[in-house]
Amino acid sequence: MEPNEELAFDALSDRVRRRILAVLGEHGELSVGEIAGRIDAVGRTTVSSHLRVLRTSGLVHERREGRNRYYSLDVDGAVRDAFVFLQSILQQAVDGAAGTGPVVAPGTSATARETG
């Protein structure tokens, strides 16, 4: 796994950050206040902290307009990389269940798994 992917998966490990990503995926670009208004569990300050983690991990893009900051999914960055990685794992699982080959995590080989 690449360093960017590792940061993305670390960011995705938190339930609130996953909820923020879901809100951005559903509504597109939003301000911090708009995001906080759609997440019941935490306040605006906590949302801002989570957005900083998501931005530094490459999952969201920040646009500044005057004093306001707007956030959207960075679909060309780590979101896409994480999706492709997970998709490949799921496809291998489906192929393995169908008897078309072993289930092997991307970046490893079937030989390496069998020997050690």
Side-chain angles (χ1 to χ4, degrees):
M1 203 177 329
E2 306 237 352
N4 242 10
E5 288 175 349
E6 288 181 31
L7 286 174
F9 281 107
D10 285 345
L12 290 170
S13 68
D14 184 88
R15 180 184 53 82
V16 173
R17 290 193 287 264
R18 290 192 308 269
R19 179 69 184 123
I20 290 170
L21 292 173
V23 166
L24 291 173
E26 183 178 338
H27 297 283
E29 185 181 71
L30 296 171
S31 69
V32 175
E34 291 169 323
I35 296 167
R38 289 175 168 82
I39 299 177
D40 300 329
V42 296
R44 183 183 174 129
T45 303
T46 302
V47 167
S48 291
S49 296
H50 284 295
L51 283 166
R52 186 172 26 262
V53 172
L54 292 169
R55 183 178 47 78
T56 57
S57 66
L59 293 169
V60 299
H61 174 74
E62 177 188 72
R63 180 178 65 85
R64 295 181 185 200
E65 186 176 295
R67 292 180 45 197
N68 298 312
R69 295 177 186 201
Y70 296 89
Y71 293 87
S72 59
L73 292 178
D74 186 350
V75 295
D76 294 326
V79 166
R80 186 174 89 48
D81 295 342
F83 178 77
V84 168
F85 179 78
L86 290 172
Q87 188 177 33
S88 69
I89 290 173
L90 291 173
Q91 185 61 54
Q92 288 181 8
V94 168
D95 292 347
T100 58
V103 177
V104 180
T108 63
S109 69
T111 308
R113 287 197 62 171
E114 291 169 4
T115 59

